[in-house]
Amino acid sequence: RSSDLHDVTGTRRSSVTLPCSYSPVEYRQQTVTWLFSGVRILYRDDSGDHVLSNKYRDRISLPEDRQGGDVSLTITNLQTDDRGRYTCRVSLKMSDNSDPINKEEDTHLDVNKEVHPNPREPTPKPNVVTEDG
C-alpha cells in the first residue's frame, strides 16, 4: 500500500482538482473512494459515482474516462471549510477471486480567500499630519 501526500491550494469560490491516479491496467472491478478527514464523500463503483455528502453535492466530480487511470477529484465553488485532508483510495480487482490491489493517496487542501483585482475599498492613504504652528 503506497501513500503519497500532495499539497494543493485553491481560492474561495473557484474550483480545484486534487490529484489521484493509478497505472491503467486490465481489471475486472474498480472502486474509488474519496474521503475528507476520514469520512467518505464520494464513491465510484460499477454502477456509477455516488456523492455521499450533502456538503459536496453538485460540487465534486471525477473524470468521466474510467480507463485512463485518472481519478482526481474536482471541487467547484470552494468554501473555506473545504480545507483539510482528502484521501483517495483505489481498489482494483484483476479477476473475481483475486485479492484487490489497493492504492491510497492523501492531499492537503488549503483555501485562500478571493483575490479581488479591484478592491472595493481604496487603499488607505498614509495620514499626513500637518503642524499648524
Side-chain angles (χ1 to χ4, degrees):
R1 157 181 155 164
S2 61
S3 186
D4 308 299
L5 180 62
H6 308 281
D7 273 304
V8 174
T9 303
T11 306
R12 207 173 137 231
R13 295 207 179 119
S14 69
S15 58
V16 75
T17 298
L18 310 181
C20 184
S21 60
Y22 59 90
S23 305
V25 285
E26 289 297 316
Y27 57 81
R28 284 293 298 272
Q29 215 182 352
Q30 172 208 50
T31 56
V32 179
T33 310
W34 272 94
L35 304 96
F36 173 65
S37 296
V39 178
R40 296 198 312 168
I41 57 171
L42 186 145
Y43 182 72
R44 165 179 280 184
D45 60 14
D46 294 342
S47 68
D49 295 351
H50 313 280
V51 177
L52 307 170
S53 163
N54 284 326
K55 175 178 186 287
Y56 291 98
R57 195 161 305 290
D58 301 325
R59 293 202 299 127
I60 56 177
S61 60
L62 297 181
E64 295 289 324
D65 176 16
R66 286 169 163 262
Q67 300 297 329
D70 180 8
V71 287
S72 300
L73 182 76
T74 298
I75 308 175
T76 58
N77 190 17
L78 273 176
Q79 307 298 323
T80 355
D81 62 357
D82 290 339
R83 64 161 62 103
R85 191 183 188 93
Y86 290 80
T87 306
C88 169
R89 283 190 193 141
V90 180
S91 182
L92 303 173
K93 283 188 88 165
M94 298 302 117
S95 65
D96 290 336
N97 44 16
S98 67
D99 286 335
I101 299 169
N102 295 311
K103 178 186 164 87
E104 191 166 293
E105 287 186 46
D106 284 322
T107 300
H108 186 267
L109 174 65
D110 208 4
V111 179
N112 291 332
K113 293 202 171 72
E114 302 97 315
V115 180
H116 293 291
N118 304 316
R120 284 181 210 138
E121 296 175 16
T123 315
K125 294 193 174 78
N127 291 335
V128 179
V129 179
T130 54
E131 298 278 340
D132 290 352

